[in-house]
Amino acid sequence: MMISPAINDCSFMKIACEEAKIAENEGEVPVGAVLVFNGAVYRDHNRMIQTSDPTMHAEIAVIRRAAKAAGNYRLNGSTLYVSIEPCLMCAGAIVHARIARLVYAACDERYGAIDSRIKAFECGLNHRPAVTSGVLAQECSGLIKRFFAARRTGEVPKRL
């Protein structure tokens, strides 16, 4: 998918939210991500259960895709959109990939490693992306809240 100049943060976050809904339909925690790099758009969602891989978060999935397509683990100049605040593992991957900008929707008070629990980008690492938060926060946090509320009442299969 090539990028149109009319596309903005909300447009990409809507795609990340669509990916989160796909994850939910697959019984995964509903988190989606979009990575924009060199005119291409990569999209994916959590796949930890499907892959039996605890590292297969949405962020890791799109970083892997973009890096493979680029033939380089450095994704300088890229922007990553995520439906929820990245965890510490994903924050580390963002730093290693040299992602220029992170845009996330909802805060994650439990595992968030950008602003909520830990401030991973403020501990003197060799790369610090620009961060924008709160883009479509209500819509994305609503997905997570509904998912876990349904899990507590037994409406969603407990495959985790």
Side-chain angles (χ1 to χ4, degrees):
M1 174 178 179
M2 295 308 288
I3 303 169
S4 160
I7 295 180
N8 59 26
D9 286 352
C10 283
S11 299
F12 288 119
M13 193 59 74
K14 284 179 183 174
I15 297 169
C17 192
E18 289 171 12
E19 286 293 326
K21 290 173 186 173
I22 293 169
E24 180 179 33
N25 290 336
E26 294 174 354
E28 301 274 0
V29 175
V31 178
V34 172
L35 191 128
V36 180
F37 179 61
N38 283 347
V41 177
Y42 303 88
R43 57 188 288 173
D44 215 323
H45 52 275
N46 276 2
R47 295 178 184 277
M48 296 170 294
I49 297 166
Q50 292 173 43
T51 61
S52 299
D53 181 351
T55 69
M56 194 48 78
H57 291 195
E59 300 94 312
I60 302 297
V62 295
I63 289 170
R64 286 177 180 167
R65 267 192 190 173
K68 186 173 184 171
N72 191 340
Y73 73 97
R74 297 270 172 99
L75 303 173
N76 295 316
S78 63
T79 300
L80 176 63
Y81 297 86
V82 188
S83 61
I84 194 162
E85 181 180 0
C87 70
L88 188 56
M89 175 186 69
C90 293
I94 291 165
V95 169
H96 284 289
R98 302 297 192 271
I99 291 171
R101 185 166 175 249
L102 167 67
V103 180
Y104 71 86
C107 290
D108 183 350
E109 298 299 325
R110 194 164 181 198
Y111 297 107
I114 309 305
D115 294 312
S116 297
R117 298 286 292 172
I118 301 168
K119 297 186 184 305
F121 298 153
E122 295 179 16
C123 63
L125 298 173
N126 62 341
H127 175 72
R128 184 177 179 179
V131 176
T132 301
S133 61
V135 177
L136 299 182
Q138 280 189 304
E139 182 177 348
C140 292
S141 69
L143 276 172
I144 294 277
K145 288 176 184 174
R146 285 189 302 275
F147 177 82
F148 283 109
R151 293 259 334 262
R152 285 189 294 278
T153 62
E155 294 175 32
V156 174
K158 293 187 179 186
R159 293 187 251 168
L160 297 179

